[in-house]
Structures are given as structure tokens and as C-alpha cells.
Amino acid sequence: MNPSMAFATVLIDELVRHGVRDIVLAPGSRSAPLAYAALEAEKAGRLRLHVRIDERSAGFLALGMAKIRRIPVPIITTSGTAVANLHPAVLEAHHAHVPMLVLSADRPPEMRAVGANQTTDQVKIFGNSTRWFYEFGVPERRAGQQDWWRSMVGRALAEATGVPTGDAGPVHLNIPLRAPLVPDVDSEDWPEDLSGLPRGESWLNIRQVDSHRAVAAGPGIAPVPRTLVVLGDLPEPSMAAEVAELADAAGWPVIAEPFGQYHRGRVTPHGALILRATEWLERNRPERVLVAGRTTLDREVGKLLRHPDVSVEVVTAGTSWAGSSHHTRRVHAWEDIERSRTAVASCADRAWSARWRRASTALSEAATPLIEGSWPSGMTVARTVVHNLPDGSAIVIGPSNIVRDLDLARNPNRIAREVVSVANRGLAGIDGMVSTAAGVALSRPERPTYALMGDLTFLHDGNALLIGPDNDKPDLTIVVLNDDGGGIFSTLEPGQDHLTDSFERIFGTPTGANLELVCRARSTQYELITDRDTLADRIANPSKGVRVLEVRIERSAERPLHERLAEVARHALAELD
């Protein structure tokens, strides 16, 4: 066995010993030893190998597979631009606290700075976006290396999962390798046994963060009667349940962005739409807003958090927090949620909370006919999708207009049980959404997975549909709202009437792409949906494999619909109370 193959064999073996069951490979020459070792592990039934031709898709596939399970899925790449193409996924994992492990092959030191092919400076190429970086020395034919190799693998997985800091995220291992880079036909034995510790034990014993966190003493979350809970995007979908249970215990109303996995019974319908009824809000303004997770969708939430008469408190699951404003007065550790439940039980101002419930009902009764009557629109499509999801399914939500349409259109009480909703809200880019959705589907093959996104987001990651015949295929239904361009900008400042002359050229960016041909070129099922009942049926009855459902909408109708919905909200609550 040559040194490069010895190293790769030990590295893959130790990853499996730490619980890794999936590896993503973007093929290349310099990374060949890692590829061969991963393939041998797959043949032995120890892991699944997912091969992708596009490194950017590979990165987001690994990210998607780790979003819910929270187990890093290593990504193997060759050197050069292959590594750089992982940067968008690394950035998203960094900001969204998703565990990730990059294994980049590299040239040995003597081949650097001499003009060697596919060679660049890969040392800390991702800058401050990784939790940890380490470069191995070049493997050599000598004894005494595997304890070092195995120890570093354990350290990398620990850092990626948030040990000891508590903040999960990406880790980068750079691996210089010398030729030969393929298994030897006839070679001398390796100078030491490479089988590792007995009984499949890992070299490094990692204590997970939750196993050694002490419940801190302190005042906890105070029982403030007029508290509004604002729930944003959290690193782990199940965390939303803890926040919802606290609100239930206290009797506080909840405004939630459309992410997480929890019982949504107390959540106000239509997201932050209620905050647009400014006169009603002034009469029923909360004394305190308790924020959990990143809130990025609605400017009205930001306005409320900046109000001088509102006290803002944040509950954080990590070592830092995403304050939606600079008005945060207090930050709570995540453990404060559980230990404060008894202290806040039934503390809500009953009359005030009842007014919020009545307003929520009135708002839903007024908004529903407008939304339902707007077919085909982003809001109606989003509402139809989420209200027909099967129990226990997952939905991956794209950025820009679609996530905001879903936020405003949905009634959380009509979403099925145990539905888990995730999105790439770390940087909220359109990168890699199809790959992320495929990763989520592959991570939970026993349950259906859906994705909801716009046409530009879908086209941006079209290579994700290129899945070779020897790879596991996800069961994934992708709903594409095709408004032929950047519809989000029509609802923002560039969409104002006096800027129409320049809008199409630099913001609307129509492509005229034929999505049916895009899918056909990638051997992907496709269907054009023209009515709501058909869409509801396709969602309620998922099929096997990847299926794309296109719904065409008019981009020009989106801004007027948003404006009309805000007007309806104000009118519905104007005379309430």
C-alpha cells in the first residue's frame, strides 16, 4: 500500500467510526486516494457515496443532508478551483450553524508556487468562515502516523458539530498527497497495522455539548405579562418546539417565520401581517418582544424591535446571537427556556392575549379570500403547497419572494403534524437550493420531501438534477414558481412606478427559459400545473424520484397583491377592540 492510499484508508475508516454514513465526492485526480477509500467503504456497506460533477452542487448537497440530522457529511474535492467552488456552501453553513467537513486534496509542498497544474494557495482559503482549519503533512512510508491521522479526524468532527464551543459549522481539512494516487497492484506491506482500535471504537472520544452543559443559575426569563414571542430561523428545526412550548405555558402570542418543526397552534396566521395594522398595534403593543432565531423576512418586525417603548430580549442557542436591532436589552442562554417554564406559566395578560387571538382570527378571515382569489400568484401557490403537505414531510423553502409569500399566505393551523420546514437563511442566497433540497430528501428517505422556489433559483442550481445511475436518487417534489425573472425586486424599492424604465434590464432579468426542456435534458419528471386542485393533488400524493412542477405567474401582479393584503389587514383590525 502506498502512503496516499494508506492515509485515505485510515481517514475514511475513522470518519465511519465517528458515525459518518454519507460522503459526497466531486471527482478529481489529486483526490483519487480518498475516492477509492470511500468507494471501498461503500462496497463494505459502511456508508453511502454520492458522486456529483459540480462542486458547488456537491457542497450544498452535503449541507442539505446535515441540516436536519446534524451529522457532518464530508465533501471530497480535488485541488484548485474545485475547492473554491465550495465557498458559497461553506459561507451558508458558517452563518446558519450547519455542521460541514471539507476534505480538499492538494499538491505537496514541492509542487506549490512552481506553476503546477490546478494548484493554488488552499491554506485557509475560506478565511474566517470555518470553525477550524488543519493541513496534514504529506503521508510517508513509516510507522507512527495513524494515531495522528485518526486524532485529527476526531478533532475535525468535534469542531464541526460545535464541540467545545457550542457553535456548529464548517471545518476544512487540507490534504497534500504525492503520487502514486491509485491503489498498487503489487506493493510491500505497510509498516504498521492500520486497522484502528478494536470493536469499531473511534480514536477520540467526543463529549457532545449537551452532555456537559450545566444549567446556569440566574433570573432566567421573567414573567412579563404582555410579551410577544418572535420565532425566526434556528440552527436545528426541533428547537422551535422548545420556544413554542414556552409560549404555550405562558399564554403569549407568537409570530413565527415559516421554519422549524413544532406544534404551530399558537402561531399567528400570515406571519407578521398583523404588524401592518399600525393603529391596532399601537393600542395592543407588547411590553416585551422575546426573539429566538434569526428574523430576516419582514421589515415590520424590525420596526417593532426598534420601538422605544418595547423591551427586546433574545434567546440564543450558541455563543453569539443574531439581534434584529441594536435595541436588545437582555440575552438569555438556551437553557433558560426550560428552567423558566414554571416561572412564566400562565403569566400572560389574559385580556391582552385575547385581543391578539381575536385579531388573528379577524385577520385570517379577511386575508384568506384575497389570497385564495389571487390564483395563480406566489401566495396562492405557497399556501396550496404547505396546506396539503402529508404528515411528517419536509419542505425546503427558497429565498426571495417565495419565502415571503409563504410567510404571509400560510395559516400555521392548517399545516399537517410533524412537518419540518427548513431554508438556507444563513446568507439567504439562491445558490444551491435544488442541491440542498436533494440533500434533505436523501437524509430522510422514508418520508416525502418538497421544495418551493422561483425560476431563477431553480435555474441557478440546474446541475443538481444531474445524478448518475449508480447514486441514490432522492424522492423530491420541486415546485417552481416561474415569473420569468427576479420578482423579489418588484416588491422592493426598485419596483416603484417611477423606476419602471430601468427595472426589466437590471432587476427583472427575464431569461425566457423553457423549464420543460431543462428538465428533459436532465432526465427529470416535469409537469406544468395550471390549476390549484391539480397542485394540491400532486402535493398530497408524492411520487418517487425527482419531479418538477412548474406554475407560471405574472410578476407584475405581485406588488399590487402585497399592497392590497396590507390594506386588508389594516381595515380588518381598524375597528377591533
Side-chain angles (χ1 to χ4, degrees):
M1 181 179 291
N2 63 62
S4 292
M5 283 305 307
F7 171 86
T9 300
V10 168
L11 184 145
I12 298 300
D13 176 65
E14 193 64 20
L15 286 172
V16 173
R17 288 167 180 258
H18 277 282
V20 168
R21 295 296 178 264
D22 293 275
I23 289 180
V24 179
L25 166 69
S29 176
R30 187 60 50 171
S31 57
L34 298 168
Y36 283 116
L39 180 61
E40 286 303 309
E42 182 185 56
K43 289 178 179 178
R46 303 181 72 196
L47 54 77
R48 292 189 300 177
L49 180 61
H50 309 269
V51 181
R52 296 297 185 271
I53 64 168
D54 184 325
E55 285 83 8
R56 186 168 63 181
S57 293
F60 279 101
L61 179 71
L63 182 142
M65 297 181 76
K67 281 189 78 71
I68 296 176
R69 293 176 59 205
R70 310 300 295 175
I71 299 173
V73 175
I75 315 149
I76 298 171
T77 74
T78 191
S79 60
T81 57
V83 188
N85 277 317
L86 296 180
H87 208 158
V90 169
L91 286 171
E92 175 62 31
H94 165 58
H95 288 280
H97 300 282
V98 178
M100 176 179 282
L101 179 58
V102 174
L103 306 175
S104 62
D106 202 352
R107 264 54 179 172
E110 66 271 16
M111 294 183 67
R112 300 179 189 178
V114 295
N117 191 38
Q118 287 186 297
T119 305
T120 189
D121 185 359
Q122 295 177 194
V123 174
K124 297 190 176 181
I125 193 172
F126 303 120
N128 294 326
S129 298
T130 55
R131 298 292 179 270
W132 189 60
F133 169 84
Y134 184 77
E135 181 174 51
F136 285 95
V138 181
E140 300 173 347
R141 179 173 293 281
R142 61 180 176 82
Q145 296 174 99
Q146 77 156 326
D147 54 349
W148 158 41
W149 295 341
R150 293 182 183 274
S151 177
M152 291 301 100
V153 169
R155 170 75 183 272
L157 290 170
E159 297 280 357
T161 53
V163 180
T165 66
D167 291 332
V171 163
H172 179 198
L173 295 181
N174 200 49
I175 304 167
L177 298 171
R178 289 193 181 102
L181 301 171
V182 296
D184 300 313
V185 177
D186 296 306
S187 65
E188 57 186 301
D189 293 335
W190 192 255
E192 65 176 330
D193 181 12
L194 295 178
S195 58
L197 295 179
R199 297 181 297 278
E201 185 180 350
S202 60
W203 193 268
L204 180 65
N205 184 12
I206 303 172
R207 296 181 65 198
Q208 295 298 325
V209 174
D210 290 343
S211 70
H212 61 78
R213 277 182 174 171
V215 177
I221 299 171
V224 178
R226 294 192 175 193
T227 294
L228 172 67
V229 175
V230 174
L231 180 57
D233 184 42
L234 289 158
E236 298 185 39
S238 60
M239 287 178 165
E242 299 179 56
V243 181
E245 289 167 6
L246 180 73
D248 282 342
W252 296 325
V254 179
I255 290 178
E257 294 186 348
F259 314 118
Q261 183 177 24
Y262 61 103
H263 176 63
R264 298 167 170 88
R266 189 171 290 276
V267 176
T268 302
H270 310 292
L273 183 62
I274 196 170
L275 302 184
R276 287 163 172 75
T278 52
E279 293 183 4
W280 179 89
L281 183 62
E282 190 63 25
R283 299 192 303 270
N284 296 278
R285 189 176 59 249
E287 177 184 349
R288 175 181 68 178
V289 177
L290 186 66
V291 181
R294 297 186 68 212
T295 55
T296 59
L297 296 184
D298 202 298
R299 295 181 180 183
E300 297 301 322
V301 172
K303 289 180 183 178
L304 178 61
L305 298 180
R306 292 189 296 271
H307 196 288
D309 295 330
V310 173
S311 176
V312 178
E313 298 182 15
V314 171
V315 186
T316 179
T319 61
S320 62
W321 63 92
S324 298
S325 72
H326 296 291
H327 294 258
T328 302
R329 299 293 302 274
R330 179 170 293 173
V331 177
H332 302 280
W334 196 257
E335 292 77 16
D336 284 349
I337 294 176
E338 182 175 355
R339 67 189 188 88
S340 299
R341 198 169 297 161
T342 301
V344 305
S346 303
C347 75
D349 181 325
R350 293 186 178 182
W352 177 80
S353 294
R355 290 197 294 273
W356 272 80
R357 288 195 299 273
R358 287 196 298 272
S360 297
T361 301
L363 179 64
S364 187
E365 291 175 351
T368 295
L370 175 63
I371 297 169
E372 293 284 0
S374 66
W375 176 274
S377 69
M379 288 191 194
T380 316
V381 172
R383 180 182 175 92
T384 302
V385 170
V386 298
H387 286 184
N388 289 280
L389 293 171
D391 289 351
S393 57
I395 182 166
V396 181
I397 308 166
S400 300
N401 254 4
I402 189 60
V403 67
R404 290 167 174 82
D405 283 340
L406 175 59
D407 190 37
L408 294 175
R410 82 200 194 285
N411 185 338
N413 295 308
R414 290 189 55 189
I415 298 175
R417 295 177 302 170
E418 296 301 315
V419 168
V420 55
S421 174
V422 296
N424 287 344
R425 298 307 299 175
L427 287 182
I430 68 171
D431 317 59
M433 287 307 307
V434 179
S435 298
T436 299
V440 170
L442 287 168
S443 74
R444 49 197 321 274
E446 73 286 355
R447 296 187 176 186
T449 299
Y450 302 80
L452 187 60
M453 65 188 68
D455 55 304
L456 294 186
T457 300
F458 175 74
L459 292 169
H460 200 273
D461 194 27
N463 281 347
L465 299 177
L466 298 173
I467 304 174
D470 295 326
N471 292 277
D472 284 3
K473 301 282 195 305
D475 294 328
L476 172 65
T477 298
I478 305 172
V479 180
V480 181
L481 283 83
N482 188 357
D483 61 4
D484 196 24
I488 180 63
F489 300 110
S490 66
T491 65
L492 302 175
E493 287 82 356
Q496 298 175 82
D497 290 341
H498 69 281
L499 297 173
T500 54
D501 289 346
S502 58
F503 183 84
E504 282 298 292
R505 176 68 169 134
I506 59 176
F507 290 106
T509 57
T511 66
N514 186 319
L515 300 192
E516 181 178 8
L517 295 181
V518 169
C519 293
R520 189 185 302 172
R522 292 161 173 81
S523 301
T524 300
Q525 300 177 63
Y526 165 89
E527 184 178 0
L528 177 64
I529 304 294
T530 58
D531 66 275
R532 181 168 36 203
D533 290 343
T534 301
L535 178 61
D537 176 74
R538 299 298 186 268
I539 299 302
N541 300 285
S543 64
K544 291 292 185 179
V546 180
R547 176 176 61 172
V548 174
L549 307 178
E550 178 188 1
V551 184
R552 296 171 184 168
I553 65 175
E554 287 294 330
R555 178 156 30 98
S556 60
E558 288 297 294
R559 187 181 184 97
L561 179 58
H562 279 254
E563 292 173 348
R564 177 61 180 149
L565 190 61
E567 181 182 337
V568 165
R570 289 189 291 268
H571 180 75
L573 303 190
E575 304 300 326
L576 212 58
D577 302 336

